[in-house]
Amino acid sequence: MSLPITALVLCLTLPLLGAIATVAAPRHATPLVTSVAGLMVAVTIGLTSHVAIHGPVVVALGEWAPPLGIQIMADGPAVLFLLVNALVMAAVVLFSLAPIGQPGPRSRLAQTFWPLLLLLWGALNAIFVSRDLFNLYVGLELASLAAVALVAIERKRDTLNAALRYLLFALTGSLLYLLGVVLIYAGHGTLDITLLAGELGMHPTDALAIGAMTAGLAAKTALFPFHVWLPPAHAGAPAPASAVLSALVPKASLYIALRLWLEAAPGAGDAIAVNVLGWLGALAVVHGSIMALRQERLKLVIAYSTVAQIGYLFLVFPLALGAAGAAGSGVADSAWNGTLFQALSHALAKAALFLCAGLILEAAGHDRIARLAGVAQALPVTLFAFGLAAITLMGLPPSGGFMAKYLLVTASLEGGVPGWGLIVLAGGLLAAAYLYRPMASAFRHPDQESAAPFTTVAAWRQAIPLGLAIASLALGILPAVPHELMGGMP
Amino acid sequence: MTDWLPPLILATSLLPAVATFFLHQESHVWRNTLNLGGALLKVGLVVFMLVEVAGGTLHETRIDLVPGVFLLLRVDALSLLFLTLSAVLWLLTTVYAIAYFDHKPNLSRFFGFFSLCVFATTGIALSGSLLTFFIFYELLTLSTWPLVVHKQNAASMRAGVSYLLYSLPGSVALLFAILWLESAAGPVEFANGADFADLDSASQRWLFLLFAGGLAVKAAMVPLHRWLPAAMAAPAPVSALLHAVAVVKAGAFGFVRVIHDVFGIERVTDLGLGIPLAMLASVTILYGSIQALRQTGIKRRLAYSTVSQVSYIVLGAALVGPLALIGGLAHLVHQGLMKITLFFCAGIYDERAGIHEIAELNGIGARMPWTSVCFSLGALGMIGLPPMAGFVTKIYLGLGAMESGAPWVVAVLAGSTLLNAAYFLPLLYRIWFTPPPDGERPGERPLGIVVPAVITGLGAIAAGLLAGADFSPLGWATLIVERHYQP
């Protein structure tokens, strides 16, 4: 096997092997997990640079070409997601190494948290590189189960309820997706995305299949109004788990939806369907933001912010596939690239925010926004990281979020549908409003009498969210290589 | 033509900013060296470029972000006007701030954002395209917030909310305008102007309205001005920077760019957009002055005076004639020199004598002579007393108004002068002609807070006395306008 193919296979196998090893040898879990994380970051960076220079890496498993065999492919978008996944996961691993702030006692950490995290890592990577709709289902199912377990890891009553609700949505979503897969296989005799391209939409049951799959994926992505499971689950999980759940898991199901609609069936989406998806996205932006504004606890604000930020991702359907996309190929390209910029920069920034919230929770013992005064003094680096991540979510320059908004608004204006662009801009203002509250509260000087002592947090742990936040800004400062890798409409 | 000079000038503020964040609170020497060193180096580079540009050399740097989206830094005569102002006043304000804060807490944070703010202002001055302008404009909004709320008390937190409440919707309007225009006309460079061929006149008017709305917030034009008096809760060096260089000037400078380098004077005249904007500026000039008259606090009176004075620049740009533009551009510098003097002095009064209210100024002239002389110079300049800088501005604006067929502007200028006198002369009367209260004589130390005020005060006289010289603000403004009108 050549080096890039080895790297691609390692991206899938290494986390799973690591998960098994941590279960088998819980005593050595910490060095095991850290070395897996370090290796994965190195492998992903190597693979990304290879793809950036030489183009996609394709592996036909068992040397059988589709439709007989199964293909995995690391193209530009795939390696970008692999890389961001690796960065977030590695940050979370580092973050969870400290004696305080672990999810649960040490033994449980080794027994459950590390294996689940690595399992999730592998499952997400499998989704990003799979070219087969059934393989994607397997990845999706694994990821969902690991995610639900991570929510419930502390075994508290509230989080168990949240996890159950999440499980219900995730399972229903999986079933709907599987129904679609069955229908497509019955109609076309293949599940390979490349082979389906151009074919999908021809068969009479295809509309039903795509509809069922999209509904299932939307439920897993927490698209409004299927988002009700997300805030309690993401706010209830321990901060490092929330970081992964909010940053990456919803992106995986969205990623499948993008591959399905834009790559496998670009002609199949009719105008009404794409606009409905766009409208749900717009409603998600407004509803999520308003709910975020009304929360009393920092982690809930961040969780509702995810509902809102996911909304932008669905604007790609009307912009790239609707009447706007037909206005010129540049419009669809801008919409696609803008959506990927949004997905990636939100992943980095959201992980940073949840880790910041985790540190604040550790230092203050609570995350009530009204009582955060003094955090700026106790955790200056954390608050700085929070501010930088907020810039990305607001979509202000210089950040990946700005790049995303620039491209999406440009697409909507050039496509002659400025309404979607106005939603994006209004969403930025709403994000500023809901992120300003915790920021300003933390910046206040504490009153003399109500001043609560803060536990100190090591500087290196504060540097972790800062690194993620800087990475999300870097997407906007040096956007050329990622933009090249995204490559426009597939 | 690729050139290393514009990025280097940006780096003189950016590198100290980034490095300062990492410095320990107690590393006074390092922090001061970094900030002063950056500021001095920048002034040196700016002087070098002044000579180059006067000789006709242009510097341009283009940085591609993604295909079709680029940053363009360009040094032309107009950008140098703003750049010189910000570089010189940054140096003086840094000296002032070091002396003013001495050993107060959170200085690394303060100086970090302070330099970042200057970095953004420099970027605005150097912007050669609309998108570049917007990016730095936003960076300015963000880097100013931590300065406004620096004291972290209830008043400054309220000021911070108010600042963002006005600024962020303004940015959205500006961004939408830029993207709308660029989706029809492609990337807009100031050197070439925008191609409006694909837009009907109604769209063009809407665009202008959006641009004006976005810029009017920072330029503190009525009715979008309320954040500026509120921002007085910030420490004195911040007020000085905000009112003389950074935020309000960014808005005014943006108006000059949009009117002259994006729309072009002919289109603005054809669409009939200049006169309504000039009227809004006039309303702001008069309203700001009347409000200033009603304030009893020194800093609040100065703040409303800024609301009024910054609109002189907008007025000069909106009248779309050469003489008016010269007046407006010269005022960009003149107002900066005079207003920063006033704020330096207000800070000294506050810090050394605990004076916030106008009523407390009685007899301070005898007790704090250096500060009071400088304050008086700034105030007289604002009124427009010959041969001070403000006088030159008003003459050119008046002549420009006649030239552009808007004689009513002369009445506005006259009214404003009367109002200026009405709100500044009582202060001067109290300072010099009323007996001082008993008590200890407040000092005017350290030198670091007084010397910058003396320099800018003298600068305000020199800008008026030597207005005929080539390198005076007026001379430079004339050069800009000559190049603009005779391409």
Side-chain angles (χ1 to χ4, degrees):
Chain A
M1 280 198 294
S2 73
L3 207 56
I5 292 179
T6 317
L8 177 52
V9 173
L10 278 180
C11 278
L12 300 178
T13 48
L14 206 54
L16 299 178
L17 289 176
I20 296 167
T22 43
V23 175
R27 282 167 186 284
H28 308 290
T30 309
L32 258 171
V33 173
T34 37
S35 36
V36 167
L39 260 176
M40 280 298 290
V41 171
V43 167
T44 330
I45 290 176
L47 185 63
T48 308
S49 19
H50 177 84
V51 172
I53 298 165
H54 300 288
V57 177
V58 185
V59 186
L61 294 184
E63 308 277 314
W64 292 92
L68 290 174
I70 288 168
Q71 226 177 35
I72 59 176
M73 176 161 95
D75 56 359
V79 286
L80 286 173
F81 276 96
L82 289 180
L83 185 61
V84 166
N85 193 14
L87 291 180
V88 170
M89 287 285 181
V92 165
V93 167
L94 269 183
F95 185 92
S96 313
L97 287 178
I100 346 163
Q102 290 163 356
R106 187 146 201 104
S107 58
R108 195 189 298 166
L109 178 81
Q111 282 165 8
T112 53
F113 183 70
W114 291 135
L116 285 173
L117 194 70
L118 292 175
L119 186 66
L120 183 60
W121 193 339
L124 291 173
N125 280 359
I127 293 174
F128 296 139
V129 298
S130 288
R131 303 289 300 166
D132 178 279
L133 291 176
F134 185 74
N135 255 16
L136 285 170
Y137 166 76
V138 174
L140 200 58
E141 202 60 9
L142 265 179
S144 295
L145 291 177
V148 170
L150 277 175
V151 170
I153 198 165
E154 285 185 323
R155 301 184 201 175
K156 289 188 294 200
R157 182 190 294 271
D158 289 353
T159 52
L160 280 178
N161 279 338
L164 263 179
R165 182 141 52 140
Y166 184 9
L167 188 65
L168 195 70
F169 272 87
L171 281 182
T172 316
S174 298
L175 282 177
L176 283 168
Y177 179 85
L178 193 59
L179 172 69
V181 172
V182 171
L183 286 173
I184 288 179
Y185 191 72
H188 299 274
T190 181
L191 290 171
D192 185 81
I193 289 177
T194 319
L195 294 177
L196 282 172
E199 298 292 316
L200 208 56
M202 303 294 173
H203 203 270
T205 56
D206 280 354
L208 179 62
I210 296 175
M213 290 166 89
T214 309
L217 292 170
K220 282 179 181 275
T221 315
L223 172 64
F224 179 90
F226 309 116
H227 66 284
V228 286
W229 59 267
L230 186 145
H234 288 189
S242 314
V244 181
L245 294 176
S246 226
L248 296 161
V249 177
K251 308 289 160 54
S253 40
L254 174 94
Y255 184 86
I256 299 176
L258 288 180
R259 292 272 192 206
L260 182 69
W261 280 74
L262 280 79
E263 201 169 337
D270 77 343
I272 298 172
V274 294
N275 279 320
V276 166
L277 285 173
W279 270 111
L280 290 179
L283 286 171
V285 171
V286 175
H287 176 79
S289 302
I290 290 172
M291 290 303 286
L293 260 178
R294 295 172 52 190
Q295 300 307 312
E296 300 293 321
R297 284 181 45 218
L298 180 58
K299 281 180 82 181
L300 274 168
V301 171
I302 304 175
Y304 271 106
S305 150
T306 300
V307 173
Q309 298 278 331
I310 282 172
Y312 297 123
L313 301 173
F314 283 84
L315 300 184
V316 71
F317 295 103
L319 287 178
L321 298 174
S329 67
V331 175
D333 285 344
S334 292
W336 167 264
N337 291 341
T339 305
L340 291 193
F341 264 113
Q342 166 67 16
L344 298 170
S345 55
H346 172 255
L348 292 165
K350 189 48 64 77
L353 282 186
F354 264 119
L355 294 186
C356 286
L359 291 175
I360 291 173
L361 199 63
E362 269 175 40
H366 67 88
D367 66 342
R368 301 220 158 264
I369 292 170
R371 288 171 33 214
L372 289 183
V375 167
Q377 257 62 39
L379 303 167
V381 181
T382 306
L383 200 64
F384 193 61
F386 191 95
L388 291 187
I391 290 176
T392 281
L393 294 196
M394 291 185 259
L396 293 177
S399 70
F402 175 68
M403 234 20 247
K405 294 209 170 141
Y406 178 87
L407 291 166
L408 288 174
V409 177
T410 304
S412 88
L413 284 169
E414 285 183 358
V417 278
W420 302 117
L422 286 175
I423 294 279
V424 172
L425 293 177
L429 279 184
L430 287 168
Y434 65 69
L435 290 168
Y436 186 79
R437 284 175 59 234
M439 186 81 194
S441 177
F443 219 81
R444 273 201 330 266
H445 264 312
D447 306 329
Q448 291 304 324
E449 61 269 24
S450 72
F454 288 97
T455 323
T456 45
V457 173
W460 67 268
R461 289 187 71 214
Q462 298 195 53
I464 296 170
L466 183 64
L468 288 172
I470 289 174
S472 76
L473 293 194
L475 265 177
I477 297 170
L478 301 166
V481 174
H483 186 270
E484 175 88 31
L485 280 169
M486 290 166 190
M489 269 287 275
Chain B
M1 183 171 62
T2 311
D3 208 299
W4 47 271
L5 256 178
L8 186 65
I9 288 190
L10 282 173
T12 55
S13 326
L14 181 62
L15 295 183
V18 174
T20 303
F21 283 123
F22 291 99
L23 286 180
H24 194 262
Q25 166 64 21
E26 299 305 319
S27 333
H28 296 279
V29 176
W30 270 104
R31 190 167 52 232
N32 298 347
T33 313
L34 265 171
N35 281 278
L36 283 175
L40 276 170
L41 183 60
K42 186 166 177 181
V43 170
L45 287 170
V46 167
V47 169
F48 173 70
M49 286 213 300
L50 276 171
V51 177
E52 291 254 290
V53 170
T57 318
L58 288 180
H59 294 274
E60 195 176 85
T61 310
R62 187 183 295 261
I63 304 158
D64 281 307
L65 290 180
V66 303
V69 183
F70 56 86
L71 292 183
L72 182 67
L73 302 174
R74 193 165 179 278
V75 186
D76 58 13
L78 176 56
S79 53
L80 259 182
L81 180 82
F82 191 26
L83 185 61
T84 313
L85 175 79
S86 73
V88 171
L89 294 191
W90 180 39
L91 176 62
L92 293 172
T93 313
T94 305
V95 172
Y96 180 84
I98 289 171
Y100 179 89
F101 284 116
D102 195 20
H103 284 66
K104 285 190 181 148
N106 298 323
L107 287 187
S108 284
R109 184 182 77 204
F110 178 85
F111 279 101
F113 283 112
F114 194 72
S115 296
L116 207 56
C117 191
V118 175
F119 165 70
T121 312
T122 310
I124 289 173
L126 291 177
S127 295
S129 73
L130 264 181
L131 186 69
T132 318
F133 177 84
F134 176 77
I135 287 175
F136 285 109
Y137 195 81
E138 272 320 281
L139 204 62
L140 181 63
T141 311
L142 294 174
S143 56
T144 313
W145 182 80
L147 297 178
V148 171
V149 298
H150 181 73
K151 289 185 189 163
Q152 293 174 266
N153 54 20
S156 59
M157 293 313 292
R158 275 198 302 277
V161 173
S162 166
Y163 176 61
L164 289 183
L165 217 53
Y166 281 92
S167 297
L168 290 177
S171 328
V172 167
L174 192 59
L175 179 62
F176 188 71
I178 292 174
L179 293 179
W180 184 4
L181 178 57
E182 296 204 339
S183 71
V188 178
E189 293 183 26
F190 294 140
N192 311 327
D195 172 18
F196 284 87
D198 289 346
L199 292 160
D200 55 21
S201 59
S203 302
Q204 294 180 21
R205 287 205 177 86
W206 275 108
L207 269 171
F208 191 83
L209 189 68
L210 283 168
F211 272 115
L215 295 168
V217 173
K218 282 233 186 354
M221 290 178 77
V222 172
L224 305 170
H225 64 286
R226 285 181 174 275
W227 62 270
L228 187 64
M232 286 292 89
V238 176
S239 307
L241 198 73
L242 239 66
H243 284 257
V245 189
V247 179
V248 290
K249 286 299 168 59
F253 182 76
F255 269 110
V256 178
R257 281 292 194 202
V258 166
I259 292 174
H260 291 266
D261 292 342
V262 176
F263 280 76
I265 32 185
E266 280 160 26
R267 188 175 310 278
V268 171
T269 320
D270 290 349
L271 293 170
L273 296 166
I275 294 301
L277 184 61
M279 283 176 168
L280 183 67
S282 302
V283 168
T284 308
I285 289 171
L286 295 175
Y287 176 85
S289 300
I290 292 167
Q291 284 296 319
L293 202 54
R294 295 177 50 195
Q295 304 303 318
T296 54
I298 301 171
K299 285 180 88 180
R300 288 188 70 84
R301 181 166 288 192
L302 292 180
Y304 275 105
S305 158
T306 305
V307 170
S308 165
Q309 294 275 337
V310 168
S311 275
Y312 277 51
I313 307 167
V314 181
L315 181 63
L319 286 174
V320 292
L323 285 176
L325 184 59
I326 292 177
L329 290 176
H331 201 56
L332 191 88
V333 178
H334 290 164
Q335 190 268 353
L337 287 170
M338 298 184 290
K339 192 44 71 71
I340 207 164
T341 312
L342 289 168
F343 271 107
F344 281 160
C345 295
I348 301 172
Y349 284 145
D350 179 6
E351 188 64 18
R352 288 288 166 267
I355 294 175
H356 309 100
E357 296 294 315
I358 291 166
E360 295 166 333
L361 280 172
N362 286 357
I364 198 71
R367 288 142 52 91
M368 299 175 80
W370 286 97
T371 312
S372 302
V373 167
C374 294
F375 190 88
S376 309
L377 286 178
L380 292 174
M382 284 290 181
I383 298 170
L385 188 78
M388 303 285 294
F391 170 71
V392 178
T393 312
K394 287 184 185 175
I395 289 291
Y396 270 83
L397 280 177
L399 291 173
M402 299 305 286
E403 183 188 61
S404 305
W408 52 271
V409 169
V410 179
V412 171
L413 291 172
S416 160
T417 304
L418 284 179
L419 285 164
N420 289 346
Y423 67 73
F424 271 128
L425 288 181
L427 269 71
L428 299 190
Y429 179 79
R430 279 183 193 274
I431 290 173
W432 296 109
F433 299 110
T434 47
D438 299 331
E440 210 176 317
R441 184 188 160 109
E444 294 183 279
R445 294 269 159 183
L447 277 181
I449 54 174
V450 180
V451 170
V454 173
I455 295 176
T456 52
L458 290 176
I461 303 182
L465 271 181
L466 307 174
D470 282 349
F471 279 89
S472 73
L474 186 77
W476 195 262
T478 314
L479 174 85
I480 296 169
V481 174
E482 276 172 1
R483 287 191 182 172
H484 207 92
Y485 280 80
Q486 300 157 355

